[in-house]
Amino acid sequence: MKVAMGQFAVRREWQENADQCAQLMQDARAEAADMLVLPEAVLARDNADPDWILRAAQPLDGPFMSRLLAASRGHALTSIMSVHVPDTDHKVRNVLVAVRDGTIIAAYDKLHLYDAFAMQESQRVNAGQHIPALIDVAGMKVGLMTCYDVRFPELARRLALDGADVLVLPSAWLRGPLKEQHWALLCSARALENTCYMVAVGECGPRNIGNSMVIDPLGVAIARAAESPALVTAELDPQRIAYARSVLPVLENSRFMAPTLKPKA
């Protein structure tokens, strides 16, 4: 599978972000990519107004996603990103979507909300309640995660035990002390401990680190972006997964049951 990572800085107006996503989809197709992973919450953001995501949120049949579905029509490229969707209690859901050929083929509500490092995502966002199903891309099984999910090894392990070959992680990883180190360490750990590829894409810009990366099943970074807007590609090799799992059969050796979600509080 050839994967493309498209990192950019999300703007306030959804039309500009839709145009940016559509352009990256076109650029990824030009690179003959099978899958494009974009950052988290690409619909709209105003760094000076955290409540903007509430006012800017759109349903999945709204104009933002309609623009991207139209851009995907007639093509086999699978594009993955997250958007804010209106929900109950005057909040939104952070929904990861995968689109292909004019259709939303998967939607996953972010399980772990970023209530850490003086941030409180749960003030504006309702948490998901379901483990996402895997999707098929170019003969490989892909597991879906969003940003803060990477700090919880249970989700990645569950997806690997469900059969994932690749984990994708759209993110908006905030700058801060040790945060780039955390990003690299956690992404590498989730790949290595599950002998999966990890495709982790970060938003760039004044608040976020960028630093998108592909980590192979033995923890080796095979492609990286810096802090600026970029489109970076990498080849994911099923034989590399098979080799990693033959020399490091952690999924087979583990004596623990597959993780399950806690009941809703």
Side-chain angles (χ1 to χ4, degrees):
M1 179 204 299
K2 187 172 186 179
V3 62
M5 302 183 293
Q7 70 175 37
F8 66 97
V10 176
R11 301 179 184 180
R12 178 181 172 90
E13 302 303 328
W14 72 262
Q15 295 92 337
E16 296 180 44
N17 297 316
D19 288 345
Q20 178 69 77
C21 292
Q23 182 62 56
L24 286 166
M25 292 163 70
Q26 180 178 323
D27 294 345
R29 290 195 298 269
E31 295 285 344
D34 300 295
M35 181 170 71
L36 168 67
V37 184
L38 299 173
E40 176 186 22
V42 296
L43 192 153
R45 183 181 303 109
D46 183 339
N47 291 335
D49 181 6
D51 287 335
W52 182 244
I53 64 167
L54 302 176
R55 299 193 292 277
Q58 297 180 18
L60 292 182
D61 60 357
F64 180 86
M65 285 307 305
S66 295
R67 169 81 169 88
L68 297 193
L69 290 173
S72 74
R73 196 163 290 122
H75 303 286
L77 175 72
T78 300
S79 300
I80 298 173
M81 75 231 42
S82 93
V83 296
H84 285 117
V85 173
D87 200 30
T88 58
D89 302 322
H90 307 290
K91 294 184 179 182
V92 296
R93 288 177 290 120
N94 188 341
V95 184
L96 184 155
V97 292
V99 303
R100 182 194 301 153
D101 192 14
T103 301
I104 296 175
I105 64 169
Y108 156 62
D109 293 356
K110 184 179 181 182
L111 281 172
H112 298 101
L113 301 182
Y114 186 53
D115 290 357
F117 293 108
M119 300 295 290
Q120 199 76 18
E121 187 177 11
S122 63
Q123 287 183 351
R124 300 173 182 88
V125 181
N126 287 325
Q129 301 299 327
H130 302 286
I131 294 170
L134 305 182
I135 62 173
D136 294 298
V137 181
M140 300 177 79
K141 299 287 188 180
V142 178
L144 308 176
M145 304 169 63
T146 306
C147 201
Y148 192 47
D149 280 338
V150 77
R151 291 188 181 271
F152 301 88
E154 297 86 356
L155 178 56
R157 175 51 57 93
R158 171 61 184 268
L159 294 171
L161 291 175
D162 286 350
D165 305 304
V166 182
L167 303 172
V168 298
L169 186 76
S171 304
W173 202 264
L174 290 170
R175 300 178 185 274
L178 301 177
K179 293 296 293 300
E180 289 191 21
Q181 180 181 342
H182 292 183
W183 169 254
L185 175 63
L186 290 162
C187 291
S188 297
R190 297 296 87 85
L192 176 59
E193 70 194 5
N194 294 297
T195 53
C196 291
Y197 281 98
M198 167 65 83
V199 182
V201 177
E203 183 189 350
C204 57
R207 291 207 318 164
N208 300 311
I209 67 170
N211 280 241
S212 301
M213 62 181 70
V214 177
I215 310 295
D216 90 349
L218 288 175
V220 179
I222 62 170
R224 301 187 73 143
E227 79 287 358
S228 303
L231 182 73
V232 178
T233 64
E235 294 282 352
L236 311 189
D237 183 1
Q239 294 305 312
R240 181 64 168 171
I241 300 171
Y243 172 73
R245 292 179 177 178
S246 70
V247 298
L248 183 63
V250 287
L251 300 179
E252 186 178 318
N253 293 162
S254 175
R255 298 185 59 192
F256 285 87
M257 300 289 289
T260 58
L261 283 177
K262 294 178 182 178
K264 185 177 179 180

